[in-house]
Amino acid sequence: MELRLVLVCLSLLCMSACRDSESISTEDPKSTSAPATLDTTQTAATPTATVKVLQYNVKQGKSGQDCCWGNPSVRPKQQALIVQELTSGGVELGSLIESDSGPAENWQCSDQDSLLGTHLPSFASHCTTCATSSSFKEATHLLWNQNKWTALAKYGDASADTCFAAGQTVFQGRGFAAVLLQSVDRPNDQVIFIGVHPGHAAQGFYAGAGPVVVAYQELAGKSNGDPRLIISGDFNLSCQDALTQIGQSNIAPGTLVQCPSPPTCCYDSSFSLDYDHVFTNWPKAQLTTAIAPSYTGPFTPAGSGRHRSEEHKPVVATLQLP
């Protein structure tokens, strides 16, 4: 009996060994069981890029309005804020609305250029003015850090229309500026950066966006890639309304992202209105907007009248790129 049990066990062991041998023989003889290693060149995540944009209506436009840029006691504070944000604040792009120098009747672009040359030597600028028959004339200034961005093209030669809605009727005097930029660190990334100041809600952004669309298309035609849109401005619309109307205007392809924005307007309405926004159609981008950290206002002197009390708060939008 014991001998029979031993023979049965040996038989079973032999059968098991044969099955194992058959199983092994069906595998690719070149395969190995060496442990897998991490290929960091293939699986490492792409570093996230951050772009900060300053949007600031410095408020010089209307004749008699000296709450801000036109007030000699206020302008130095605004200038100091701009320099602070564009240097130690890490802001790479700036959009300054109603930034003309001197009275509205003497609109020009020289003042901000002087500020750049004195305090912001690493920044370049593009300034355009809206010259219509209206007494309400203004300049729009775009700024960019040349260590981060290279200008490939600027919109606004002698024949270009840089007035929102081509300066028609209620839109007279409201301007915009546009420039095509290329990232220094990420050369494949190109941006059409637009600063704009349309009318109020009753006028509608989409009703006057025609010249802005023309500017975008011209700059896109000068790009050798797929430029993204960054549009910044005092839209005189809530964030959601501005988002909707920009989409209706078909300025650029893709879905715009932003919202919400903090309230920025104005001193005479206890800063209860969210009018200043930055939007982008950059795929998978995340954008958040907050009051500029270095803002210590309000700067408006006590007892100001209506035209001295339309001060805006500046905002900084932080764009996280994939």
Side-chain angles (χ1 to χ4, degrees):
M1 177 65 70
E2 293 178 356
L3 177 61
R4 185 178 299 173
L5 289 174
V6 170
L7 292 175
V8 170
C9 290
L10 290 173
S11 176
L12 292 174
L13 289 171
C14 180
M15 293 173 62
S16 175
C18 290
R19 283 195 297 269
D20 292 342
S21 176
E22 291 174 356
S23 175
I24 293 173
S25 66
T26 60
E27 295 180 358
D28 184 352
K30 296 181 181 179
S31 66
T32 64
S33 58
T37 58
L38 179 64
D39 184 353
T40 56
T41 63
Q42 299 295 326
T43 60
T46 302
T48 300
T50 300
V51 177
K52 291 185 177 182
V53 183
L54 172 67
Q55 161 55 36
Y56 195 8
N57 184 340
V58 296
K59 211 65 185 178
Q60 168 62 36
K62 298 177 183 177
S63 178
Q65 179 170 257
D66 60 350
C67 77
C68 309
W69 208 249
N71 188 317
S73 68
V74 174
R75 180 184 290 192
K77 298 176 183 178
Q78 292 180 300
Q79 290 177 331
L81 181 148
I82 294 168
V83 172
Q84 175 76 11
E85 293 298 337
L86 270 61
T87 52
S88 58
V91 171
E92 299 178 16
L93 304 175
S95 169
L96 305 182
I97 308 300
E98 293 194 57
S99 62
D100 42 338
S101 172
E105 293 81 2
N106 297 320
W107 52 267
Q108 54 186 303
C109 285
S110 60
D111 185 75
Q112 283 300 330
D113 293 329
S114 175
L115 172 65
L116 290 175
T118 303
H119 301 288
L120 300 168
S122 64
F123 277 77
S125 70
H126 177 46
C127 179
T128 61
T129 57
C130 180
T132 71
S133 59
S134 169
S135 61
F136 179 19
K137 302 181 177 78
E138 65 184 41
T140 304
H141 241 92
L142 299 181
L143 315 174
W144 60 92
N145 188 329
Q146 297 179 94
N147 295 324
K148 297 292 185 178
W149 299 93
T150 300
L152 301 181
K154 302 175 183 178
Y155 182 80
D157 57 22
S159 63
D161 187 347
T162 54
C163 288
F164 191 81
Q168 297 174 4
T169 60
V170 293
F171 294 102
Q172 288 184 341
R174 297 185 179 273
F176 74 93
V179 62
L180 173 63
L181 303 173
Q182 182 179 45
S183 171
V184 172
D185 298 328
R186 295 161 47 128
N188 291 331
D189 290 347
Q190 295 184 3
V191 166
I192 295 177
F193 182 37
I194 298 176
V196 66
H197 185 209
H200 285 263
Q203 300 164 10
F205 177 88
Y206 59 86
V212 182
V213 175
V214 172
Y216 177 90
Q217 292 174 343
E218 179 177 310
L219 291 176
K222 295 180 179 180
S223 169
N224 59 3
D226 183 18
R228 308 305 182 189
L229 171 68
I230 296 179
I231 184 168
S232 175
D234 168 14
F235 288 86
N236 289 306
L237 292 167
S238 70
C239 188
Q240 191 57 55
D241 287 344
L243 192 67
T244 299
Q245 293 198 23
I246 295 172
Q248 292 172 339
S249 303
N250 296 317
I251 294 175
T255 302
L256 293 175
V257 296
Q258 208 258 305
C259 289
S261 293
T264 57
C265 177
C266 294
Y267 182 89
D268 57 352
S269 58
S270 301
F271 298 106
S272 60
L273 304 171
D274 58 325
Y275 277 0
D276 293 270
H277 316 294
V278 179
F279 301 101
T280 185
N281 66 347
W282 209 302
K284 299 182 180 180
Q286 298 182 7
L287 196 156
T288 56
T289 303
I291 301 299
S294 59
Y295 177 68
T296 58
F299 300 139
T300 300
S304 296
R306 178 183 183 278
H307 283 307
R308 299 184 63 190
S309 60
E310 295 180 358
E311 176 183 341
H312 281 240
K313 293 182 179 181
V315 297
V316 171
T318 301
L319 178 60
Q320 297 284 351
L321 303 180

